[in-house]
């Protein structure tokens, strides 16, 4: 992911000695262990997303071995492009040196993620195959607390891909299982899950479905989410939209409890180096507000497309116009849908007028052109309300003849 940077153009006329960072256990502790608020989630997220990125160029597959009390080992394996020995040394022995910060096609950028397991453990294993060679490495902290890398084995291989293995303490099994559920919910597809029981798989599917739904009605989670680069970030909307008026949004959505799952392109939002949260920047405020307003308006339009025909056209016009003005959107697709809805309700109104006059076949013919079965049922209900049960039955028969059962 390309990082947002600020060029320093201040001219002082001064020269001096550049600062350096001493390679010490304390420095590495600050860079790795103290960087993350939720260590299990960060470990799983960084390993899995590196595997996903490795599979983009060759359509490889990712699998996750879920740690359990019987097998307390987290293993993330991919059949991606793999890494040779030199590349492994480059990635794992240098902090803030990333191979992904010149592109928005991949998630990484800070040059920290590959080392994240050291925030949890003193040792983890890497096995990677590329160009017919498989190398196995141990990443560990030496007796001074400084990270080191040691090659353990080399052998021939006809495969490509990488495997990262981390031993999990039994007391942390549940935390890592929960972390896997959260990380997988943000991916484009659910990877192969090994050593997982039916309950775990069910939770994975439910969370994945909820995260990939734009709008969740009657949700009691006050935080919304935005996905960027397969990472799900939680946030409170008040933090990014000034003078946020929840009551107005409730009116548009016809609910008091809701959650939006927004989607941003990689690079559209500024994130913390730990990739755990969104930063408070003007860029984020601008883009979050835009994404949120578009999501509210899309949900509003979708609701009207499914709305009952017992809404009077005047109310439809008023609410659609109110929404357009409030959200100040100029999205041609949404505006086209708005006009289509208005046109459809105009047809309904014309049909209702004809019903009142007793011209039942013409009324059905007018409305039947655009009615689907669900709308047909609602149309009949309104017809019954307007002119009585017998006429409603007649309309039902005509609808069946015109648009089918």
């Amino acid at each position: 992911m390309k990082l947002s940077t600020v060029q320093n153009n201040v001219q002082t006329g001064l020269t001096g000695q550049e600062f350096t960072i001493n390679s010490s256990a304390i420095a590495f502790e600050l860079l790795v262990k103290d960087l993350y608020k939720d260590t299990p989630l960060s470990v799983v997220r960084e390993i899995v997303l590196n595997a996903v990125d490795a599979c983009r160029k060759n359509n490889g597959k990712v699998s996750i071995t879920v740690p359990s009390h019987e097998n307390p080992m987290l293993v993330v394996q991919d059949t991606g492009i793999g890494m040779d020995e030199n590349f492994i040394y480059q990635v794992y022995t240098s902090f803030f040196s990333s191979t992904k910060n010149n592109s928005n096609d991949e998630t990484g950028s800070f040059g920290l993620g590959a080392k994240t397991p050291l925030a949890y453990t003193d040792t983890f294993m890497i096995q990677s195959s590329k160009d017919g060679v498989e190398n196995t490495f141990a990443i560990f902290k030496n007796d001074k607390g400084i990270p080191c890398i040691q090659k353990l084995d080399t052998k021939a291989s006809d495969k490509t891909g990488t495997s990262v293995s981390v031993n999990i303490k039994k007391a942390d099994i549940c935390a890592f299982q929960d972390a896997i559920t959260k990380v997988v919910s943000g991916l484009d597809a659910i990877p192969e899950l090994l050593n997982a029981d039916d309950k775990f798989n069910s939770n994975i599917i439910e969370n994945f479905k909820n995260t990939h739904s734009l709008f969740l009605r009657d949700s009691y989670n006050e935080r919304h989410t935005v996905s960027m680069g397969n990472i799900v970030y939680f946030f409170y909307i008040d933090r990014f939209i000034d003078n946020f008026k929840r009551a107005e949004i409730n009116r548009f959505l016809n609910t008091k409890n809701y959650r939006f799952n927004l989607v941003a392109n990689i690079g559209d939002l500024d994130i913390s180096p730990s990739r755990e949260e969104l930063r408070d920047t003007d860029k984020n405020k601008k883009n979050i507000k835009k994404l949120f307003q578009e999501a509210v308006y899309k949900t509003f339009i979708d609701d009207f497309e499914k709305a009952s025909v017992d809404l009077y056209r005047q109310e439809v016009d008023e609410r659609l116009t109110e929404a357009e003005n409030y959200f100040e959107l100029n999205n041609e697709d949404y505006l086209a849908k708005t006009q289509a809805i208005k046109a459809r309700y105009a047809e309904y109104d014309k049909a209702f007028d004809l019903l009142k006059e007793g011209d039942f076949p013409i009324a059905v013919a007018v409305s039947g052109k655009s009615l689907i079965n669900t709308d047909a049922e609602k149309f009949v209900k309104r017809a019954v309300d307007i002119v009585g049960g017998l006429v409603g039955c007649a309309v039902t028969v005509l609808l069946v003849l015109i648009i089918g059962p």
Side-chain angles (χ1 to χ4, degrees), residues 191-217:
E192 182 182 10
L193 298 172
L194 307 175
N195 196 40
D197 57 25
D198 291 341
K199 181 179 179 181
F200 184 84
N201 285 325
S202 177
N203 288 337
I204 286 282
I205 293 172
E206 181 179 0
N207 276 271
F208 184 86
K209 180 180 178 181
N210 287 342
T211 301
H212 287 261
S213 299
L214 172 65
F215 179 66
L216 295 178
R217 198 181 298 275

Side-chain angles (χ1 to χ4, degrees), residues 16-68:
Q17 182 174 333
E18 293 183 350
F19 283 29
T20 62
I21 297 178
N22 185 37
S23 177
S24 66
I26 295 177
F28 287 115
E29 194 84 353
L30 291 172
L31 287 175
V32 178
K33 190 170 184 178
D34 293 345
L35 181 65
Y36 303 105
K37 297 178 181 178
D38 188 333
T39 301
L41 180 60
S42 298
V43 171
V44 174
R45 180 184 63 244
E46 299 303 325
I47 299 176
V48 170
L49 293 183
N50 280 341
V52 170
D53 282 344
C55 292
R56 294 186 191 278
K57 295 181 179 179
N58 70 342
N59 294 319
K61 302 294 182 182
V62 178
S63 66
I64 302 174
T65 299
V66 181
S68 64

Side-chain angles (χ1 to χ4, degrees), residues 100-118:
K100 305 176 184 179
N101 54 16
N102 291 318
S103 170
N104 280 331
D105 294 329
E106 297 176 299
T107 304
S109 60
F110 293 106
L112 298 171
K115 283 75 77 174
T116 303
L118 291 174

Side-chain angles (χ1 to χ4, degrees), residues 271-287:
I271 58 176
S272 64
S274 66
R275 296 206 286 203
E276 291 179 300
E277 58 188 3
L278 301 172
R279 294 169 57 194
D280 288 321
T281 63
D282 290 339
K283 174 182 175 180
N284 281 358
K285 287 185 177 181
K286 176 183 176 181
N287 289 337

